Amino acid sequence: MKIWKSALLSLSATIGLGASPALAADRVNASVSVDLDTPGARIEPEIQGQFAEHLGRGIYEGIWVGEDSPIPNTNGYRNDVLAALKELDIPVIRWPGGCFADEYDWRDGIGPRSERPKRINTHWGGVIDDNRFGTHEFLNFSEMVGAENYVAGNMGSGSPREMAQWLEYMTGSKPTTLVKERQANGRDKPWKVKYFGVGNESWGCGGNMRPEYSADLHRRYATFVKPQPGETVVKVATGANVDDYNFTEVLMREAVNQMDAISLHYYTFVGDWDHKGSATGGGRKEWVSTLSNALHMDELITKHSAIMDQYDPDKRVGLFVDEWGTWYDQEPGSTPGFLYQQNTLRDAEVAALTLNIFHRHTDRVKLAAIAQMVNVLQAMILTDGDKMLLTPTYHVFDMYKPFQGATPYPATIDTPEFSEGGKTLPVVDASVARGEDGQLYLSLVNLDPERAARVATDLKGAATGHILTGPKLDTHNTFDAPDTIKPATYSARPGRDGTLTFDLPAKSVVVVAIR
Ligand code: AHR
């Protein structure tokens, strides 16, 4: 048994539908105790943010089909996707990239759609982007979904003037030439742009810069990212890739006073960048390897945060994990460069474990954006023409909604471990927080692909919520069977001593409210 200290809490419960036969045979015991006297920093809703890039079928077809499309739409946005996204209470959306952002000229995406220039999307498939989705289409979309805007500017190939003028175009309220142009293009009131990214991945597709140069450029560009009088904008410096701690060190040392946040990008592969692996069909080895890679997020945040602490002990600067998620070999037969992949129960576990990690680092992690929203990488939603399905990752985000704005508590998780291929994982992970509605919420993840877990807790009350699980490691939804995996109701009643015990089937995610 290993003690896992966590800022979250776990319980074990009895499935409300009755005990599964799978529970009895090979079940392990774990326990969770929660320190309700030591609340942590708020779980900012923005950690459930999403990323939507001009990439593959993410924007075009996934979100935007145009007013003349036979696919039912509202002002060009497809109705089915819009309705599903609204359900998630998405706090923030990052756009237009990604790598795309550092080649993007915002002026390409305004004015009459038929007159907008056509450009090659050099990063993603070499296809033509005719810019029919631009600034107005994105900001109106966020407004319809109810999300804040996180606009990523072009530091790699654009100028500080372009960046400044884009912000003025979007948010200006005085009758300048740019504001009048916006109004002539159909938007009278200024939009609110809460977050502005000063470039993206400057160490790679954003310019292949050394951290010293990137820090200098950040200082220069950020100078011209000026909010309107009386407004604020959170300036996000393009930060490290994975474990490039030197990048964080240099950026913090040289530019801490010119930033409000610094980004971190980390993707989960089955193997590594050169061996991404398949989205479906993997066995125990691939399961363990993927989840182990996902859990690496904790170490990355811990180490980047420690560096940030040296230059920002008051924790003014946020760590924004604004690209994360699974990245597999693209779906066989799909368009090269479109990063389309299936999404299975394994992705659901990655999502839940990652959100739990963010809950443990709320002192620094103030925003995150899963990559990406629709049809790209670890997507919420997949579409095929007029068909749509919700992925297991969507269902996890739906189940985790009560954690938005909640106050986390430290939890001690006493759990067995299991190993495969030289990697060791805990069977149980957990997170506990008090929601904005005053109720206690608990998430529990059983990482073990074969064994059920009984989790004893010191929490009292009655627990009701949902469970996500499936018969196979790669259980997933298809367009012909879109409800193969979806949440089922779940409940637990207290034992004689009043405490809750939860029975978790193998490979499952549970979120309950405790009353
Ligand atoms: O999300 C796909 C790509 O991954 C993004 O464009 C880039 O920022 C990252 O490398």
Side-chain angles (χ1 to χ4, degrees), residues 173-193:
S173 51
K174 300 211 168 112
T176 63
T177 301
L178 280 168
V179 168
K180 285 185 177 166
E181 187 178 9
R182 183 193 73 218
Q183 291 170 333
N185 285 333
R187 174 72 182 200
D188 191 33
K189 281 190 315 180
W191 286 285
K192 171 100 181 122
V193 174

Side-chain angles (χ1 to χ4, degrees), residues 51 53 55 94 98-100 124 200-201 203 205 265 267 323 327 339 371-372 377:
F51 175 35
E53 181 170 12
L55 198 178
R94 178 173 182 252
C99 295
F100 183 83
W124 308 118
N200 169 75
E201 296 195 352
W203 44 264
C205 64
H265 289 182
Y267 285 96
E323 287 188 31
W327 189 328
L339 309 188
Q372 298 192 9
L377 299 177

Side-chain angles (χ1 to χ4, degrees), residues 241-398:
N241 184 34
V242 192
D243 58 356
D244 187 349
Y245 299 114
N246 181 54
F247 204 95
T248 298
E249 170 91 36
V250 174
L251 259 289
M252 290 298 291
R253 188 182 68 221
E254 304 297 342
V256 66
N257 292 329
Q258 281 78 35
M259 68 171 80
D260 302 304
I262 187 168
S263 70
L264 168 65
H265 289 182
Y266 175 58
Y267 285 96
T268 295
F269 314 112
V270 176
D272 54 29
W273 175 257
D274 295 319
H275 307 89
K276 296 189 179 71
S278 172
T280 54
R284 178 182 165 92
K285 184 162 162 256
E286 289 75 17
W287 173 274
V288 171
S289 170
T290 305
L291 298 194
S292 172
N293 287 342
L295 289 178
H296 185 52
M297 179 73 85
D298 190 72
E299 178 183 325
L300 295 173
I301 293 173
T302 301
K303 291 187 174 172
H304 284 290
S305 296
I307 294 165
M308 294 176 75
D309 286 348
Q310 291 170 35
Y311 299 95
D312 177 37
D314 296 336
K315 299 182 190 288
R316 182 189 64 80
V317 177
L319 181 61
F320 284 8
V321 189
D322 57 20
E323 287 188 31
W324 68 272
T326 53
W327 189 328
Y328 303 119
D329 297 333
Q330 65 168 65
E331 191 77 0
S334 63
T335 310
F338 276 23
L339 309 188
Y340 178 78
Q341 63 189 39
Q342 246 301 353
N343 194 295
T344 74
L345 177 57
R346 188 174 67 189
D347 295 272
E349 295 243 343
V350 168
L353 293 170
T354 305
L355 292 174
N356 286 358
I357 290 168
F358 294 156
H359 295 180
R360 293 176 188 123
H361 292 279
T362 50
D363 60 330
R364 265 304 168 196
V365 178
K366 305 293 184 184
L367 182 150
I370 188 168
Q372 298 192 9
M373 188 176 253
V374 189
N375 288 333
V376 176
L377 299 177
Q378 192 175 348
M380 303 286 132
I381 292 172
L382 301 179
T383 67
D384 181 10
D386 63 355
K387 296 187 210 147
M388 179 198 84
L389 65 79
L390 306 179
T391 66
T393 299
Y394 176 98
H395 293 307
V396 168
F397 271 66
D398 198 24

Side-chain angles (χ1 to χ4, degrees), residues 18-34:
S20 151
L23 292 178
D26 193 12
R27 185 178 62 207
V28 300
N29 293 313
S31 70
V32 172
S33 57
V34 185

